[in-house]
């Protein structure tokens, strides 16, 4: 099944190029929701940045279905939510959640 993305390819600008690929929830790329939770994990591929992006309102059932996620360039997700750009150089193991003020704040481990 083909997905109807919230942004057209022609709308994608170079905001965060060179970071590699990531996994993002369709709540962001299809439904157009901002990033509500993001974390960086260790990967086995030089092409994978390790970043994982979710809107933060996904149910356990939604999260369990791999069809609800896509492999994207980090720059693509940055176009959906430019607030992630300053955080993209954070090391593996870092996580951020959108706070009550709407800012992406560090999640305490």
């Amino acid at each position: 099944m083909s997905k109807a993305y919230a942004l057209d390819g022609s709308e994608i600008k170079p905001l965060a190029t060179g970071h590699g690929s990531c996994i993002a929830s369709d709540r962001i790329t299809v439904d157009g929701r901002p990033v509500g939770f993001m974390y960086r994990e260790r990967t086995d591929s030089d092409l994978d940045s390790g970043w994982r992006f979710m809107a933060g309102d996904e149910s356990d059932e939604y999260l369990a279905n791999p069809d609800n996620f896509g492999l994207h360039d980090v720059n693509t997700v940055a176009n959906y939510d430019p607030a992630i750009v300053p955080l993209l150089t954070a090391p593996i193991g870092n996580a951020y959640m959108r706070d009550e003020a709407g800012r992406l704040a560090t999640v305490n481990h």
Side-chain angles (χ1 to χ4, degrees), residues 3-88:
K3 296 179 183 182
Y5 294 105
L7 291 178
D8 183 73
S10 66
E11 297 176 271
I12 304 296
K13 307 297 181 220
L15 301 179
T17 59
H19 288 280
S21 63
C22 66
I23 297 173
S25 165
D26 288 350
R27 292 285 293 133
I28 298 166
T29 58
V30 174
D31 299 336
R33 302 276 302 144
V35 172
F37 180 68
M38 60 188 275
Y39 66 94
R40 191 170 194 187
E41 63 184 7
R42 187 170 312 283
T43 69
D44 293 330
S45 166
D46 290 339
L47 301 176
D48 182 5
S49 68
W51 282 111
R52 309 298 179 243
F53 300 98
M54 285 145 281
D57 61 0
E58 295 90 346
S59 67
D60 289 342
E61 182 180 347
Y62 187 97
L63 292 171
N65 184 347
D67 292 338
N68 292 327
F69 293 86
L71 182 64
H72 301 279
D73 190 284
V74 170
N75 183 65
T76 299
V77 178
N79 274 263
Y80 282 92
D81 189 349
I84 71 167
V85 174
L87 306 173
L88 294 175

